[in-house]
Amino acid sequence: MKKAIDSIMPSSSAGMSRIDGRLKVTGAAKYSAEYTPAGLTYGVLVGSTITKGSITSIDTKAAGQAPGVLAVITHLNAPKVPGDQPEGGKPVPPKGAFKVFYDDKIYYNGQPIALVIADTFERALFGASLVKAQYHTDKHITNLPDNRSNGFPPRGEGTYKRGTEDAWKAAPFKVEQEYIVPTVTHNPMELHAIIANWDADNKLSVWDKTQGVKGTQEDLAHLFKLPVENVQVHSQFVGGAFGSALRTWPHEVAAIIGAKVVKKPVKLVLSRADMFTSVGYRPFTWQKIAIGATADGKLTGITHEAAGQTSSYENFTEGPTGVSQNLYACPNVNTKYHLVALDIATPTWMRGPGEATGSFALESALDELSYSLKLDPVELRLRNYAEKDPESGKPFSSKFLNEAYQLGADHIGWSERKQEPASVKKDGWLVGYGMAGGMFGAYRSGATIRAKMNTDGSLLLQSAVSDIGPGTGTAMVLIASEQMGIPAEKIRFEMGDSSLPNAPTQGGSATTASVGSAVYQACADLKEKFQKLIGNGGTDKPDYAKVLKEHNLPSLEVVTETGGGNGMEKYAMNSWSVHFVKVLVNPATGVVKIDKVACVADSGHIISPKTARSQVVGGAIGGIGMALMEESIIDHRYGRYINNNFADYHVPVNADIPQIDALFVNKPDPIINPMGAKGMAEIALIGMAAAVANAVYNASGKRVRDLPITPDKVMA
Amino acid sequence: MKQFQYVRPATQQGVLDVINKPGTKIIAGGTNLVDLMKRGVTAPDKLVDINQLPLKTIAATKTGLHIGALALNSVVSENAVVADKHPLLAMALKAGASPQLRNMATVGGNMMQRTRCGYFYDVTMPCNKRAPGTGCGAIEGINRMHAIFGASPQCIAVHPSDMCVALAALDATVIVAGKKGERRLPFTEFHRLPGDHPELDNHLAKDELITGVEIPDNNFAKNSYYLKIRDRQSYAFALVSVAAALDIENGTIKDARLAMGGVAHKPWRLFDAEKSLIGKKATEENFEHAAQLAMRGAKGYGNNSFKLKLAPATIAEALKHAAGLV
Amino acid sequence: MESKKTCTGPDEGLDIKDSSRRNFLKQSTLLTAIALTPGTAIKAAADHVDEQFAAVFEKMPLKMEVNGKQQSLSVEPRSTLLDILREQLDLTGTKKGCDHGQCGACTVHVDGHRVNSCLTLGIMVNGKKITTIEGLAKGDQLHPMQEAFIKHDGFQCGYCTPGQIMSAVACIREGHANSEHEIREYMSGNICRCGAYPNIVNAIQEVKDGGMKV
């Protein structure tokens, strides 16, 4: 597959359509809450209304007597979760995952304090409204900026230095600014949901929204002290996640506890409000960047400080400063990353974790520097282009970011851009252009594929992998189709079930590289098996059905396991992206409209142009949301979210989004895997927020350093 | 949501007979009421469905246009007479909610919709509108969306409607049926300011039913504009919105109507600004002057103080659009 | 409730044109009602035999045509059309994304018009025709909009897709698909978090421009 191909810009209709498209457009695709095991009951969680303290009493009488209610579970009566209990002899670790219904302690507002189970959803919901708790309230803190001085370095990841510390100070041109990325919530369209059922005392089945059925299976087996094979996890369709389904959350455990109590399957669907407190979020992060440069635009030093929020009971780290260490060839870099523990739920990885936050600061600061230098921002980046990994000195497995800059600049019409801010006006709107780039490590982990050729010439591929939306099955079928030389329609890809062969959790843009490599190798193994049957002189891609019939075989099968990232010791491996944005800014009202977008990905060889394009377009739109409107707002007096719904937490709607051009350098990476493909989910978003902010500055002269860029900030 | 009784009286009289009982609420489109019930903000014992009442007609009268209280927002916004005679109303309706919600929401229901204040919606928070005496969470809290005009120490919530802003500007009349018969009141006097009773949104009595609105004929059709500033391009409540209607003859403004949304507990009519425009030329300068006049008495509460600048900017922009200067 | 009035069930000022409701009225004397009601309601009724009983009266008949098929159900007045479709009729193609009319995932057609089924009380669509995503294709033959969504990749995760498609069909039928700009505005009641908006617009334009009957 390692063909040198020209860059491409697919249209929305180019290439093979999704293999599961028909199921999705007919409503036949079943998501986790849509199964109906016999005797199904409904669970609704009750959340804490205080932010810190303890439950002094909890009145469940009215709820318990309400029509249809089967059980009300609290910390007072919940069966113990064996994996939550301290192990004999071992000290209890000071921090760890939140344990639902474990004790009376309240760590965050909205924390589940009770589960009401009833025979219908309506009755469970009403029952939940009748549970009343009394609390002892302690003083809480939920505000990062006011408590930044309480920050602490995460274990082993706090600081980084190469060259001279704070070298930027001695430079003739410098920028020093603070940036804020607020709390942003994944908010996939599908509400997180689980149906839990105990098939026997020691056998558990769940239909669960998860990005990794195997990971969930292991977590649940550990928590409930079950043999792994006694836990079945089904997650055939996942209605988006963006990171929110990367770990096992309290509501999943609660539903399983509930099913144990009522001895029936329990369906638990979070509310949209719960989605803000129960399944993680991108953490509020304060950053300070200082950059120094010579008069000809050579970077002499970058200092990058970040403080991100975490919960009081768990340390969540992502690496917002990493981008300053790796994106540009700068001899002197020092970074510091602190966590601030607040009385909130633990954040989690969200699309482009760390890098999306860090790149907003770095790429904004670089843009600011370009104006001090009176240098084109693309040119500034090219003058500091890293030909090898600045941190390790290793060569890149592949890097064509310079070509990506060129493609994007040509496509957006960068030559129309004026360096002078607020200097172009059309039909009453200020016009501006901005750009920013992103990078993300290109990872690969082990995966196993079962590949079975049948006598009708159809190929069945099986893997436990989830698909949260990128079109994993479609890409896998395309890889197999090319390797086997059979049409895609002849190939079926089964996935999203823990009984299937091992696959990594879908995250970190690594699925195609990991599972794809296994598919590639499984196809090679299967072909080899056919070669052995045929003997000498056979073709590489025979008529498989005919061979099977000739040998009187019902099918031929291989189970192939491939390993993790090869080449990591010799090479630095990354995907790269650059986003170009043209915006219109209303000078009177501060309204920003996205007029044109060109995103370029250097993510190796493109296997599935149609779905790859959609992923880049989707990432760009996620970045537009982050740039212009997304912010989960806490009223710190109460420690409670005030906009925990889709009317007040704005994500982009159709009217916000123009046509978005997705371009691909499309050059295979010769090292990472046999397909030459690198990940693209994260880089599709990383850098986008800065590109928009930079365009807003170019259009209006207004530099907004605290996201989101709402009209009030632009007109201020 | 608790269980409730659902009734569907066949006649208007049947509705009037039951609505004044405690715990009883009228339901029409349900887009706001069902939402509020789901959030526990309101918990009626009985819902009175009025959708079968013959209150859907849109018809010209001798002096204007009558729109039935049950006419759907989508139907009104697409109605040919409305588009021709009162484009301001059509524009405002189309700026509100989503196509699906407009297919459900009625004119009367739109008038009766309650504030979108986050403290009102969260039953664990203080809110004098939802639970009198508990205090106002917004006044010293997150108040980016809140009022800059006519607020009280009890409440700084805003009325969320777009349609009502246009109807206030167009000098519409509200027609109300009660046990004692029909009464009519100016649209601008239908909604009220919070004062010491923020729990009351308007002057409709408990035993009354909105049956329709009437818009008097006017000469504003050619020069009307509804400008809504929001955090995204569609499907969002207004930070500030302005309904502007001008009657311009030979470049001179003969008459003007201006109202704002997103700034007060009711659609906020800008009488002084209107007066300042009459007899003046339709110029940017005059519009900006009017916009400044409109801001008398405005007060910011922190997060929403940007509206002190955004509101006049939006007024001037809306007037420019209405006058065809943009 | 304060008034001491004999329970009459949910029958005040009944719409007499509706025969199912009339039949229901005949049944809803206190005694038959008790006989039909689960135990909890009987307990409540025994304590206060007055209008409070009506408040706990649990279910009402609902007749509606869903995807061409007549459905006769017994529902609580508080049940939304969305929950009835998903939980009682197992028509899970209609999605719950917010449950508050803020995302459009639950969009269905009621008598041909798109609405948010999460804010629609089931009892209020008595006698109406409902079309959900499951009712759009003719057997194996997909609706042109479904075909266009597949061709233009108008989705990733697929969760908002049924609502988008129901909205898209309505968008053309309403006459609001005359330009890209108009389509964007009239599709803004359907949130797609994966960000398939441009593809959705392309799909709708193709169906519109193709002049296919929707």
Side-chain angles (χ1 to χ4, degrees), chain A residues 110-122:
Chain A
Q111 173 185 321
I113 59 164
L115 171 68
V116 178
I117 301 171
D119 58 353
T120 70
F121 169 66
E122 291 85 349

PDB file of all heavy atoms in Angstrom, chain A residues 110-122:
ATOM      1  N   GLY A 110     -23.633  17.198  42.207  1.00  0.00           N
ATOM      2  CA  GLY A 110     -24.167  16.281  41.207  1.00  0.00           C
ATOM      3  C   GLY A 110     -23.692  14.849  41.394  1.00  0.00           C
ATOM      4  O   GLY A 110     -24.105  13.956  40.660  1.00  0.00           O
ATOM      5  N   GLN A 111     -22.847  14.631  42.387  1.00  0.00           N
ATOM      6  CA  GLN A 111     -22.371  13.275  42.679  1.00  0.00           C
ATOM      7  C   GLN A 111     -23.565  12.355  42.950  1.00  0.00           C
ATOM      8  O   GLN A 111     -24.471  12.725  43.702  1.00  0.00           O
ATOM      9  CB  GLN A 111     -21.454  13.345  43.902  1.00  0.00           C
ATOM     10  CG  GLN A 111     -21.021  11.997  44.434  1.00  0.00           C
ATOM     11  CD  GLN A 111     -20.221  12.150  45.723  1.00  0.00           C
ATOM     12  OE1 GLN A 111     -19.403  13.067  45.877  1.00  0.00           O
ATOM     13  NE2 GLN A 111     -20.457  11.261  46.668  1.00  0.00           N
ATOM     14  N   PRO A 112     -23.594  11.159  42.373  1.00  0.00           N
ATOM     15  CA  PRO A 112     -24.737  10.280  42.636  1.00  0.00           C
ATOM     16  C   PRO A 112     -24.826   9.899  44.107  1.00  0.00           C
ATOM     17  O   PRO A 112     -23.829   9.445  44.681  1.00  0.00           O
ATOM     18  CB  PRO A 112     -24.466   9.037  41.773  1.00  0.00           C
ATOM     19  CG  PRO A 112     -23.212   9.282  41.031  1.00  0.00           C
ATOM     20  CD  PRO A 112     -22.637  10.600  41.438  1.00  0.00           C
ATOM     21  N   ILE A 113     -25.996  10.130  44.697  1.00  0.00           N
ATOM     22  CA  ILE A 113     -26.183   9.730  46.101  1.00  0.00           C
ATOM     23  C   ILE A 113     -27.253   8.653  46.239  1.00  0.00           C
ATOM     24  O   ILE A 113     -27.379   8.036  47.278  1.00  0.00           O
ATOM     25  CB  ILE A 113     -26.550  10.937  47.005  1.00  0.00           C
ATOM     26  CG1 ILE A 113     -27.842  11.615  46.532  1.00  0.00           C
ATOM     27  CG2 ILE A 113     -25.401  11.944  47.050  1.00  0.00           C
ATOM     28  CD1 ILE A 113     -28.451  12.536  47.571  1.00  0.00           C
ATOM     29  N   ALA A 114     -28.034   8.460  45.187  1.00  0.00           N
ATOM     30  CA  ALA A 114     -29.051   7.406  45.250  1.00  0.00           C
ATOM     31  C   ALA A 114     -29.404   6.968  43.837  1.00  0.00           C
ATOM     32  O   ALA A 114     -29.224   7.721  42.876  1.00  0.00           O
ATOM     33  CB  ALA A 114     -30.310   7.911  45.965  1.00  0.00           C
ATOM     34  N   LEU A 115     -29.880   5.734  43.751  1.00  0.00           N
ATOM     35  CA  LEU A 115     -30.385   5.202  42.487  1.00  0.00           C
ATOM     36  C   LEU A 115     -31.792   4.683  42.750  1.00  0.00           C
ATOM     37  O   LEU A 115     -31.995   3.868  43.656  1.00  0.00           O
ATOM     38  CB  LEU A 115     -29.489   4.055  41.991  1.00  0.00           C
ATOM     39  CG  LEU A 115     -30.012   3.264  40.783  1.00  0.00           C
ATOM     40  CD1 LEU A 115     -30.019   4.139  39.529  1.00  0.00           C
ATOM     41  CD2 LEU A 115     -29.147   2.019  40.541  1.00  0.00           C
ATOM     42  N   VAL A 116     -32.739   5.195  41.967  1.00  0.00           N
ATOM     43  CA  VAL A 116     -34.118   4.728  42.094  1.00  0.00           C
ATOM     44  C   VAL A 116     -34.430   3.843  40.895  1.00  0.00           C
ATOM     45  O   VAL A 116     -34.209   4.240  39.751  1.00  0.00           O
ATOM     46  CB  VAL A 116     -35.090   5.918  42.162  1.00  0.00           C
ATOM     47  CG1 VAL A 116     -36.531   5.422  42.232  1.00  0.00           C
ATOM     48  CG2 VAL A 116     -34.769   6.797  43.375  1.00  0.00           C
ATOM     49  N   ILE A 117     -34.920   2.660  41.184  1.00  0.00           N
ATOM     50  CA  ILE A 117     -35.245   1.717  40.114  1.00  0.00           C
ATOM     51  C   ILE A 117     -36.746   1.458  40.126  1.00  0.00           C
ATOM     52  O   ILE A 117     -37.330   1.211  41.182  1.00  0.00           O
ATOM     53  CB  ILE A 117     -34.474   0.390  40.287  1.00  0.00           C
ATOM     54  CG1 ILE A 117     -32.962   0.669  40.287  1.00  0.00           C
ATOM     55  CG2 ILE A 117     -34.836  -0.601  39.179  1.00  0.00           C
ATOM     56  CD1 ILE A 117     -32.128  -0.537  40.659  1.00  0.00           C
ATOM     57  N   ALA A 118     -37.351   1.560  38.950  1.00  0.00           N
ATOM     58  CA  ALA A 118     -38.797   1.334  38.861  1.00  0.00           C
ATOM     59  C   ALA A 118     -39.113   0.564  37.593  1.00  0.00           C
ATOM     60  O   ALA A 118     -38.241   0.321  36.754  1.00  0.00           O
ATOM     61  CB  ALA A 118     -39.539   2.677  38.883  1.00  0.00           C
ATOM     62  N   ASP A 119     -40.391   0.223  37.457  1.00  0.00           N
ATOM     63  CA  ASP A 119     -40.784  -0.592  36.310  1.00  0.00           C
ATOM     64  C   ASP A 119     -40.918   0.216  35.021  1.00  0.00           C
ATOM     65  O   ASP A 119     -40.947  -0.357  33.939  1.00  0.00           O
ATOM     66  CB  ASP A 119     -42.080  -1.357  36.617  1.00  0.00           C
ATOM     67  CG  ASP A 119     -43.219  -0.423  36.995  1.00  0.00           C
ATOM     68  OD1 ASP A 119     -42.992   0.795  37.156  1.00  0.00           O
ATOM     69  OD2 ASP A 119     -44.359  -0.919  37.130  1.00  0.00           O
ATOM     70  N   THR A 120     -41.037   1.544  35.142  1.00  0.00           N
ATOM     71  CA  THR A 120     -41.010   2.370  33.929  1.00  0.00           C
ATOM     72  C   THR A 120     -40.071   3.546  34.167  1.00  0.00           C
ATOM     73  O   THR A 120     -39.770   3.899  35.316  1.00  0.00           O
ATOM     74  CB  THR A 120     -42.398   2.944  33.557  1.00  0.00           C
ATOM     75  OG1 THR A 120     -42.768   3.951  34.518  1.00  0.00           O
ATOM     76  CG2 THR A 120     -43.476   1.873  33.489  1.00  0.00           C
ATOM     77  N   PHE A 121     -39.651   4.161  33.068  1.00  0.00           N
ATOM     78  CA  PHE A 121     -38.765   5.314  33.168  1.00  0.00           C
ATOM     79  C   PHE A 121     -39.452   6.456  33.916  1.00  0.00           C
ATOM     80  O   PHE A 121     -38.867   7.084  34.802  1.00  0.00           O
ATOM     81  CB  PHE A 121     -38.347   5.751  31.759  1.00  0.00           C
ATOM     82  CG  PHE A 121     -37.642   7.070  31.726  1.00  0.00           C
ATOM     83  CD1 PHE A 121     -36.396   7.217  32.323  1.00  0.00           C
ATOM     84  CD2 PHE A 121     -38.208   8.177  31.100  1.00  0.00           C
ATOM     85  CE1 PHE A 121     -35.728   8.433  32.298  1.00  0.00           C
ATOM     86  CE2 PHE A 121     -37.558   9.401  31.084  1.00  0.00           C
ATOM     87  CZ  PHE A 121     -36.313   9.531  31.682  1.00  0.00           C
ATOM     88  N   GLU A 122     -40.709   6.717  33.562  1.00  0.00           N
ATOM     89  CA  GLU A 122     -41.423   7.835  34.182  1.00  0.00           C
ATOM     90  C   GLU A 122     -41.508   7.663  35.697  1.00  0.00           C
ATOM     91  O   GLU A 122     -41.366   8.624  36.453  1.00  0.00           O
ATOM     92  CB  GLU A 122     -42.840   7.954  33.601  1.00  0.00           C
ATOM     93  CG  GLU A 122     -42.902   8.401  32.145  1.00  0.00           C
ATOM     94  CD  GLU A 122     -42.754   7.267  31.139  1.00  0.00           C
ATOM     95  OE1 GLU A 122     -42.393   6.130  31.565  1.00  0.00           O
ATOM     96  OE2 GLU A 122     -42.976   7.495  29.942  1.00  0.00           O
TER      97      GLU A 122
END
